């Protein structure tokens, strides 16, 4: 990730502390937080200091490592199980979070002796982060088959650097194409209510120098009807075994519009987002967040103060589903680090065996 020309990862671990870019402050301020305990890191996942399927998976792995480093020798296993429960309870939809917790716990349980268990937790957490970054870079390479010399992409929410350890998923092919000298233009939806497209995707694309235009969520249909989009690229928080995909609320609507206007609709994700134990999208838990995210908005004033203002009448209630499910039948293909596959059980099971 490039921030003012300097390379960063979204989340990393340094001397026992988890460092992460505070996404709540972007694009108005760039700050890196330092979290000393697994409880603090878990809270950062819950309150969306860090967000995005891969990034919260990386943060969860590091939180488990912090728990292992702090757990007492007497009662070590019990402390690790308590930490796993706390971290797993932060957010319900993204598969990567549970993958990271489960993987670290398995490696810890397989090691002999507390010292070896601590080392296994730290090594596994770092491996999860490195693999996440490598998968994003590879997705960027695999996705080049969708790009010509000039390509216009529509994306929803944020599935770029900030959503993973590095590179991202839906935006990884964009960054790769741009760096290779291809002409790429991106339309990014605002992504209400938290505005991840307006605040994060637009900021990332600006940092990378990719030409981009922000549009209201409801303008996607008009854009597609005008024939201005070559391909739609989105990320995923969980992919079921049958190819159904959970992603940011509004993705299903966008997939329906893509189908109506015959625009290819691709989902980019690492294999760690695939949940073979989840038979279909009907079984994916959909997070519901506080209605205040819909009723209020955060921005920056003319004098540079970040503030929150209410945009609705007093007494108004809101529903705030964070995700929806897009049926596999609406998806042109899944872009993974192991290739582009159809969103169907046979292809998914085959790629998970590689």
């Amino acid at each position: 990730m490039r921030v003012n020309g300097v390379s960063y990862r979204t989340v990393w671990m340094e001397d026992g502390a988890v460092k992460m870019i505070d996404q709540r402050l972007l694009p108005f301020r760039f700050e890196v937080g330092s979290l000393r305990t697994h409880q603090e890191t878990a809270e950062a996942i819950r309150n969306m200091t860090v967000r995005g399927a891969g990034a919260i998976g990386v943060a969860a792995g590091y939180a488990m490592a912090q728990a292992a480093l702090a757990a007492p020798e007497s009662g070590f296993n019990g402390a690790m199980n308590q930490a796993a429960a706390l971290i797993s309870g932060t957010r319900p939809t993204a598969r990567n979070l549970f993958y990271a917790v489960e993987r670290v716990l398995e490696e810890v349980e397989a090691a002999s002796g507390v010292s070896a268990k601590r080392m296994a937790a730290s090594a596994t957490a770092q491996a999860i982060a490195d693999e996440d970054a490598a998968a994003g870079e590879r997705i960027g390479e695999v996705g080049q088959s969708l790009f010509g010399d000039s390509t216009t992409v529509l994306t929803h929410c944020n599935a770029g650097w900030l959503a993973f350890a590095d590179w991202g998923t839906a935006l990884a092919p964009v960054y790769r194409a741009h760096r290779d000298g291809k002409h790429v233009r991106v339309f990014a939806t605002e992504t209400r209510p938290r505005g991840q497209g307006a605040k994060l995707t637009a900021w990332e694309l600006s940092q990378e120098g990719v030409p981009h235009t922000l549009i209201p969520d409801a303008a996607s249909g008009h854009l597609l009807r005008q024939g201005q989009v070559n391909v739609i690229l989105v990320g995923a928080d969980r992919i079921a075994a049958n190819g159904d995909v959970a992603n940011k609320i509004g993705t299903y609507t966008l997939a329906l519009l893509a189908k109506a206007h015959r625009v290819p609709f691709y989902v980019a994700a690492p294999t760690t987002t695939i949940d073979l134990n989840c038979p279909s999208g009907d079984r994916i838990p959909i997070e519901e967040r506080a209605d205040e995210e819909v009723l209020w908005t955060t921005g920056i004033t003319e004098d540079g103060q970040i503030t929150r203002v209410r945009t609705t009448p007093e007494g108004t209630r809101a529903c705030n589903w964070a995700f929806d499910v897009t049926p596999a039948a609406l998806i042109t293909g899944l872009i993974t680090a192991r290739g582009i596959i159809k969103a169907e059980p046979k292809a998914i099971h085959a790629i998970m065996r590689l």
Side-chain angles (χ1 to χ4, degrees):
M1 172 186 300
R2 293 175 181 172
V3 181
N4 298 323
V6 179
S7 295
Y8 286 86
R9 279 195 176 182
T10 303
V11 187
W12 68 97
M13 195 165 180
E14 189 177 300
D15 297 327
V18 174
K19 307 281 189 175
M20 62 176 63
I21 296 169
D22 191 334
Q23 298 187 35
R24 300 170 302 174
L25 301 178
L26 292 172
F28 313 119
R29 273 206 316 261
F30 177 79
E31 291 186 8
V32 174
S34 183
L35 309 168
R36 300 299 311 184
T37 68
H38 76 273
Q39 293 94 338
E40 290 179 354
T41 303
E43 175 58 20
I45 296 172
R46 189 199 65 76
N47 68 24
M48 294 181 73
T49 299
V50 61
R51 48 138 302 279
I56 65 175
V58 171
Y62 284 142
M64 288 292 288
Q66 287 180 308
L69 293 173
E73 291 196 22
S74 176
F76 181 91
N77 291 338
M80 288 302 295
N81 287 329
Q82 287 181 356
L86 174 69
I87 298 162
S88 296
T90 53
R91 299 196 65 191
T93 302
R95 170 60 191 158
N96 303 64
L97 185 152
F98 301 96
Y99 164 82
V101 170
E102 292 162 6
R103 181 171 167 187
V104 173
L105 203 56
E106 287 173 2
E107 293 297 327
V108 166
E109 290 173 349
S112 299
V114 171
S115 179
K117 290 178 182 293
R118 297 192 208 278
M119 292 177 61
S122 295
T124 304
Q126 189 58 49
I128 290 169
D130 292 342
E131 290 165 12
D132 187 76
E137 185 172 12
R138 179 59 183 155
I139 286 170
E141 295 167 356
V142 170
Q144 292 313 291
S145 63
L146 307 178
F147 286 72
D149 292 334
S150 181
T151 306
T152 299
V153 175
L154 173 62
T155 192
H156 182 59
C157 195
N158 175 264
W161 296 319
L162 290 164
F164 289 80
D166 202 357
W167 282 93
T169 53
L171 292 185
V174 170
Y175 293 140
R176 180 75 278 157
H178 179 71
R179 293 185 184 185
D180 288 347
K182 296 178 182 177
H183 183 269
V184 185
R185 181 187 181 192
V186 176
F187 283 102
T189 60
E190 287 182 290
T191 323
R192 286 280 298 153
R194 291 188 68 95
Q196 291 99 327
K199 294 177 178 178
L200 305 180
T201 298
W203 180 78
E204 282 193 26
L205 293 169
S206 296
Q207 293 293 321
E208 185 68 17
V210 176
H212 61 280
T213 303
L214 188 68
I215 63 171
D217 293 359
S220 297
H222 174 72
L223 192 68
L224 294 173
R225 188 170 183 271
Q226 297 300 313
Q228 296 190 51
V229 175
N230 300 119
V231 63
I232 298 173
L233 299 177
V234 300
D237 284 80
R238 190 181 304 217
I239 300 174
N242 73 335
D244 293 347
V245 168
N247 192 50
K248 179 56 58 183
I249 191 77
T251 302
Y252 174 45
T253 305
L254 193 57
L256 288 170
L257 288 167
K259 186 79 169 181
H261 296 287
R262 299 180 180 178
V263 175
F265 182 93
Y266 285 91
V267 175
T271 54
T272 49
T273 303
I274 297 172
D275 186 356
L276 294 181
N277 293 319
C278 181
S280 73
D282 292 337
R283 298 287 294 276
I284 298 176
I286 300 299
E287 178 180 5
E288 294 188 45
R289 297 186 61 80
D291 62 359
E292 67 178 31
E293 293 182 350
V294 179
L295 304 176
W296 296 72
T297 192
T298 299
I300 192 166
T301 62
E302 290 182 352
D303 60 357
Q305 298 298 311
I306 298 175
T307 189
R308 194 173 73 125
V309 296
R310 188 180 182 99
T311 57
T312 56
E314 288 284 352
T316 298
R317 301 296 302 274
C319 290
N320 187 18
W321 300 282
F323 307 96
D324 59 23
V325 173
T326 299
L330 297 176
I331 299 169
T332 307
L334 303 175
I335 309 172
T336 78
R338 300 171 186 175
I340 300 177
I341 63 169
K342 290 187 177 297
E344 59 183 24
K346 184 177 179 181
I348 289 172
H349 279 81
I351 206 168
M352 292 298 282
R353 290 194 293 267
L354 294 178

